[in-house]
Amino acid sequence: MSRPEHYHLNLSAGVLSVTVALVLVAAKLWALDQTGSLAIAATLTDSALDLMMSAGGLAAIAYAAKPADDDHAFGHTSAEDLAALSQAAFILVSAGVITVTAVRRLLSDTPAPLTSEGAGIAVILFSVVLTLILVLWQRHVARRTGSRVVAADSLHYLGDLLPNMGALIALLASARLGLAQIDSVVALVAAMLMVLGAVRIGRAAWDALMDRAADPETLRGIARIADEFPGVLGHHDLKTRRAGSRVFVNLHIELDGSQTLDEAHATGAALRRAICAAYPSADVLIHKDPANVTPHPEDTRPR
């Protein structure tokens, strides 16, 4: 599949993700107004987060198609991490508001009754069906293109099914059993999950902004490709860092010093293509050294 085809498939997944998030936010706003359910408020907040994340993912897909410029030689992917930190803060504040409101309702002598539970149930069922359709398309696109952005967005939407199901249980309990307080309990559980998600997103974004190395599995995978590649006699000074959805890789390989510059270049270029094929989000820079030559200290000092 060509790069333009990859781009258009990824773009279709990004546009569909934003469209679904917009529809769900509008539907859940209406359902919240009709029912007054905190559980729906929690899943509404989650859908609002989805909208921001989907918009960020769509922007990342668009930026990925643009070459680096003079002011941003390594691209613009760090904007994803800045957006993720903002999203994490938004989630924490929203979870705090939902928690305080839920606790107040639980401690109240006269808990607020839910209304129009049927409308809320219909909206939640609609949300579940629409989310499943989106996830199926995203997974198809991720398999075809290898896009980590689309794959991550798909996993995020799968995680949204839990608060949706919680809201559905709360509404059913209120409609069938008159247990309005179940709504507050479900909202508290959803708020806890939101906090855990915010911490995970914020930590990953902070690590990327602080140039933390890629995960150990990725490092081992890159090292294994270099070790097994024809013509590469060894490697050293493997360094990585993340920026948004990109992984920047610097690698020194050891080659037969008697070969021509063209031959050495061809080996390095082929290795780069092999690493990029295994890790499509990687931006790889390879330095070629003659084998059995001790690296200069300036080449191996930490950066």
Side-chain angles (χ1 to χ4, degrees):
M1 185 182 294
S2 67
R3 282 186 178 273
E5 289 174 316
H6 274 212
Y7 170 68
H8 289 304
L9 268 177
N10 289 336
L11 188 64
S12 73
V15 171
L16 181 61
S17 180
V18 171
T19 302
V20 167
L22 278 170
V23 171
L24 293 183
V25 166
K28 290 175 183 179
L29 274 171
W30 177 81
L32 177 61
D33 178 66
Q34 294 295 307
T35 66
S37 167
L38 279 179
I40 287 185
T43 189
L44 168 61
T45 302
D46 203 51
S47 293
L49 169 65
D50 292 342
L51 178 57
M52 290 192 298
M53 292 190 68
S54 297
L58 182 58
I61 291 169
Y63 270 110
K66 296 174 58 177
D69 54 38
D70 292 338
D71 293 329
H72 304 88
F74 293 96
H76 306 79
T77 50
S78 289
E80 296 176 47
D81 301 310
L82 291 172
L85 282 178
S86 300
Q87 291 167 357
F90 172 79
I91 300 170
L92 288 174
V93 171
S94 300
V97 171
I98 290 171
T99 298
V100 170
T101 306
V103 169
R104 285 180 176 174
R105 283 194 181 184
L106 285 172
L107 296 178
S108 173
D109 294 332
T110 55
L114 302 186
T115 59
S116 303
E117 292 95 335
I121 290 170
V123 167
I124 294 301
L125 288 175
F126 171 72
S127 300
V128 170
V129 172
L130 202 58
T131 299
L132 285 174
I133 293 172
L134 171 62
V135 168
L136 288 174
W137 177 247
Q138 288 176 321
R139 290 196 161 193
H140 167 73
V141 170
R143 283 195 301 269
R144 294 288 303 277
T145 68
S147 170
R148 300 298 176 90
V149 174
V150 174
D153 204 35
S154 172
L155 287 175
H156 182 76
Y157 273 98
L158 270 179
D160 289 349
L161 293 177
L162 182 58
N164 279 322
M165 296 309 295
L168 184 61
I169 291 171
L171 291 168
L172 286 171
S174 175
R176 301 292 177 85
L177 304 174
L179 299 176
Q181 288 188 327
I182 293 293
D183 178 66
S184 296
V185 174
V186 169
L188 283 174
V189 174
M192 290 173 58
L193 294 175
M194 290 165 64
V195 169
L196 292 176
V199 171
R200 178 178 53 82
I201 293 171
R203 181 184 298 166
W206 178 258
D207 286 344
L209 290 171
M210 295 303 293
D211 287 341
R212 184 167 184 168
D215 59 273
E217 184 179 350
T218 299
L219 290 171
R220 287 193 296 268
I222 294 172
R224 183 169 57 252
I225 293 172
D227 286 335
E228 299 173 353
F229 201 80
V232 177
L233 305 180
H235 76 274
H236 60 273
D237 202 22
L238 170 59
K239 295 183 176 68
T240 62
R241 67 180 181 88
R242 285 192 174 276
S245 57
R246 305 288 290 175
V247 179
F248 292 91
V249 180
N250 286 350
L251 174 66
H252 286 239
I253 59 174
E254 299 164 15
L255 305 174
D256 181 357
S258 64
Q259 64 185 318
T260 66
L261 179 59
D262 283 343
E263 291 170 334
H265 173 76
T267 300
L271 175 58
R272 180 183 180 279
R273 289 193 295 270
I275 295 174
C276 289
Y279 301 95
S281 62
D283 187 310
V284 183
L285 178 64
I286 295 178
H287 180 82
K288 294 164 279 292
D289 295 326
N292 301 320
V293 175
T294 303
H296 192 278
E298 286 293 314
D299 292 335
T300 57
R301 64 185 177 87
R303 296 185 177 88

